[in-house]
Amino acid sequence: MDSQKVIYFISILVCTGAFFAFATYAFLSKKPINFWAGEKIPSDFVTDVKKYNRANGIMWLVYAIGWLIAAVIGLFSIEISAGITVVLCAGIIILIIVNKLIRKKYFKNQN
């Protein structure tokens, strides 16, 4: 195994760790977690905080697993892993959509 692949693996693993940390925080938080930086979601906006946070935790966990797969593949082929990471970066759009669906399901009608 060459050093380039090991450095690449460690770099991707750092990103993976951040997403696993987001997932863990979501699963353990008693208050509604936020998706956007600086956002504070009052508990009375959410119908079921535990289920809302669990849904967000699952979203981040699935995303983290994608990064973990990319990291492991990077040990064998950086080129294939790089392609996967590009798709994962574009997948942020999917995270935004999933987050909107989670909010639609668990946010109270704010009219």
Side-chain angles (χ1 to χ4, degrees), residues 30-91:
K30 302 290 184 216
K31 297 179 182 176
I33 66 156
N34 59 308
F35 183 80
W36 301 104
E39 178 183 47
K40 299 263 190 250
I41 301 170
S43 293
D44 59 344
F45 277 30
V46 181
T47 58
D48 188 329
V49 173
K50 187 174 182 176
K51 288 182 181 177
Y52 169 78
N53 285 349
R54 184 174 186 276
N56 276 285
I58 291 169
M59 174 187 72
W60 286 114
L61 184 62
V62 169
Y63 195 59
I65 290 169
W67 282 92
L68 182 60
I69 290 167
V72 171
I73 289 173
L75 290 172
F76 304 98
S77 172
I78 290 178
E79 294 80 11
I80 293 171
S81 179
I84 293 169
T85 59
V86 167
V87 171
L88 287 167
C89 287

Side-chain angles (χ1 to χ4, degrees), residues 7-21 67-68 71:
I7 291 169
Y8 181 84
F9 174 77
I10 292 169
S11 299
I12 298 298
L13 215 54
V14 169
C15 293
T16 302
F19 297 125
F20 273 118
W67 282 92
L68 182 60

